[in-house]
Each structure stands twice: as structure tokens, then as C-alpha cells.
Amino acid sequence: MAAAGWLRRAAAAAVPRLPSGLPLIPSPPPAPLAEAQSLMVLGLGAAVGPAMELMAVPKKKVSKYKKGLRNGPKALKPVPVIVRCRCCGRVKLPHFYCCSGERGNPNE
């Protein structure tokens, strides 16, 4: 956003104005640039063509703590699963031992 601010200020300063503050009648547009030519943006050190846009870049590295706070609600939640034993009918968790498949009386 800062780059857009100084570009806007530079463009505004380049437009000649009348004493009343109104801009002069604009001159005809300049000739289009050839493909081999490109615009150099001062301070960036890279060629910026008409199709290239500036992107947002973080100012500082995000710490593990802050990243964890942001991504905490995205974690998978445990789903409580309760099943009945096929032999004795007791409530148990899946893959847990209940009665080892004996079909006898559970009260004995």
C-alpha cells in the first residue's frame, strides 16, 4: 500500500496546475512502449510491465504461537463413537476388549 501512495503522489506532482488548482488540459497520450522496453520502478530493482501487479507481502515472520492460535480451530475434533458388544450387548469403545466373544451369561 505504501508503494501505491508514493506513486500517486509522484503522479499528482507531475501534473502541471493552474494557480486556481485546476489541472491544465492534458496532452495527448505518449506512444506505447515496445515489447523490449519496460518500466523500472525505483527502489524495487525489477522490471514492472503493464500486466504485472504488486502483491501483498508480510512485514514479519509469523511465530509458531500466533500460527497455532490462528489454526487451532481448524484442527480435527475427536468424534465420540460408542458401540455395543455383539455378544453381551454392553456399551464399549470400538477395538476395545469386552468379553472375548463368550456368549455366556454376563452376570456369571
Side-chain angles (χ1 to χ4, degrees):
M1 198 66 184
W6 71 266
L7 283 174
R8 194 178 305 119
R9 285 191 298 274
V15 176
R17 297 189 174 270
L18 294 173
S20 62
L22 297 173
L24 290 173
I25 298 173
S27 60
L33 295 174
E35 276 192 42
Q37 295 177 335
S38 63
L39 300 174
M40 290 296 289
V41 177
L42 298 176
L44 294 180
V48 177
M52 185 174 180
E53 296 179 14
L54 298 176
M55 297 179 62
V57 178
K59 288 190 176 183
K60 291 189 176 185
K61 181 179 177 181
V62 178
S63 68
K64 293 177 186 177
Y65 176 76
K66 294 280 188 178
K67 195 186 315 180
L69 286 179
R70 185 179 66 234
N71 294 331
K74 299 177 188 175
L76 293 176
K77 307 293 187 285
V79 178
V81 178
I82 299 175
V83 296
R84 290 197 172 268
C85 177
R86 289 183 290 183
C87 298
C88 62
R90 290 185 194 158
V91 175
K92 70 178 190 82
L93 292 174
H95 307 288
F96 275 70
Y97 173 80
C98 178
C99 62
S100 73
E102 299 174 9
R103 292 194 180 257
N105 188 358
N107 295 334
E108 294 178 356

